Amino acid sequence: PRQSFVMVKGAARLLPAEEPPPAEPPPAKPPCQAPGQQEQHLHLMMQLLRPQDAIRLAVRLESARPRRVRYLLLVRPEEAGAEAETALLGVDFAHEGATRCTLGMVLPLWSDTQVFLDGDG
């Protein structure tokens, strides 16, 4: 299945199938990022998921290690009523141009889950 994303300043959001892509041009990418690198990262992260899962939100995080690239993903199955299977995933790339990624964290989100992120962003 085809998935469309809107990317803004290191964050990507899945567009619903019935919503057309935005008409405005995409924002300029940060100078430290190669053209198409975020799209490549999204493609590699989607390969980690089960076929029925979709990335609802992907946010690039700051990393304590200078070369490591980290993302926080909000993932849930595409079928209706699957909110009970929502999870946060932490995904790591060894460096900006890495061609594979690893899953570093899996946190299921239950109806009574509270998530607090500490730090400055």
Side-chain angles (χ1 to χ4, degrees), residues 9-11 38 58-65 68-73 89-92 105 117 121:
K9 295 183 182 178
Q38 210 166 24
V59 179
R60 184 171 173 166
L61 304 174
E62 290 183 16
S63 177
R65 296 186 180 176
R68 182 160 302 202
V69 178
R70 294 194 149 162
Y71 287 88
L72 181 66
L73 308 180
L89 303 180
V91 178
D92 295 318
M105 178 193 77
L117 301 177

Side-chain angles (χ1 to χ4, degrees), residues 21-22 31-32 40-41 53 58 64 69 73 77-78 99 104 119:
C32 64
Q40 177 68 18
H41 286 175
D53 290 336
V69 178
L73 308 180
E78 292 183 320
T99 57

Side-chain angles (χ1 to χ4, degrees), residues 31-106:
C32 64
Q33 190 168 353
Q37 193 66 56
Q38 210 166 24
E39 291 88 347
Q40 177 68 18
H41 286 175
L42 282 169
H43 177 72
L44 291 168
M45 290 186 288
M46 286 171 44
Q47 291 178 350
L48 291 175
L49 305 179
R50 302 176 304 179
Q52 68 266 29
D53 290 336
I55 297 172
R56 299 297 174 188
L57 182 67
V59 179
R60 184 171 173 166
L61 304 174
E62 290 183 16
S63 177
R65 296 186 180 176
R67 293 190 52 190
R68 182 160 302 202
V69 178
R70 294 194 149 162
Y71 287 88
L72 181 66
L73 308 180
L74 179 65
V75 175
R76 116 170 140 231
E78 292 183 320
E79 59 263 5
E83 289 79 20
E85 297 181 39
T86 301
L88 287 177
L89 303 180
V91 178
D92 295 318
F93 290 85
H95 54 85
E96 190 76 39
T99 57
R100 60 187 275 283
C101 55
T102 58
L103 194 57
M105 178 193 77
V106 177

Side-chain angles (χ1 to χ4, degrees), residues 5-9 21-29 39:
F5 292 89
V6 172
M7 289 184 278
V8 179
K9 295 183 182 178
E24 62 188 53
K29 293 197 186 316
E39 291 88 347

